[in-house]
Amino acid sequence: LWLRTHPISEGGVYEIPVFTTRGTFVLQASVVGREVVEPRAGKFDCWKVQVRTAFEGNFASKRDTFIWFSADENRVPVRVSADVALGTFVVNLVGYRPGGQLARN
């Protein structure tokens, strides 16, 4: 969710070091385009972001994870799709109530 604090743009590539109990790796997130996503929470214009991780164990990825962030200044995570050692999951936003201003760096 670190990406929420940064402007997202078409073709953008973002990297951040991730520290785990087994070491570190560089998480890479690439913006692959825009899509309209319609979870129970409503209809959202979103940035689709492909995330490459190097987690091990139960969270080892069988394929890249995808996160859809709303294409507004809040960059709300609307959908997450992943296939890990424990199984495949898709998480959809079921409700959203805007809060206060998001702290930005």
Side-chain angles (χ1 to χ4, degrees), residues 56-71:
E56 296 177 359
N58 291 336
F59 293 102
S61 296
K62 293 183 178 180
R63 65 174 173 81
D64 290 339
T65 297
F66 289 91
I67 304 173
W68 288 259
F69 291 99
S70 63

Side-chain angles (χ1 to χ4, degrees), residues 39-42 78 92-96:
R40 278 188 14 201
V78 174
N92 286 293
L93 185 67
V94 296
Y96 175 67

Side-chain angles (χ1 to χ4, degrees), residues 43-89:
K43 186 175 184 176
F44 295 85
D45 180 28
C46 293
W47 290 109
K48 183 178 181 181
V49 179
Q50 182 177 19
V51 179
R52 292 176 194 90
T53 66
F55 288 118
E56 296 177 359
N58 291 336
F59 293 102
S61 296
K62 293 183 178 180
R63 65 174 173 81
D64 290 339
T65 297
F66 289 91
I67 304 173
W68 288 259
F69 291 99
S70 63
D72 59 17
E73 66 182 16
N74 296 318
R75 293 181 283 284
V76 175
V78 174
R79 176 175 289 158
V80 178
S81 172
D83 191 2
V84 297
L86 291 173
T88 300
F89 65 87

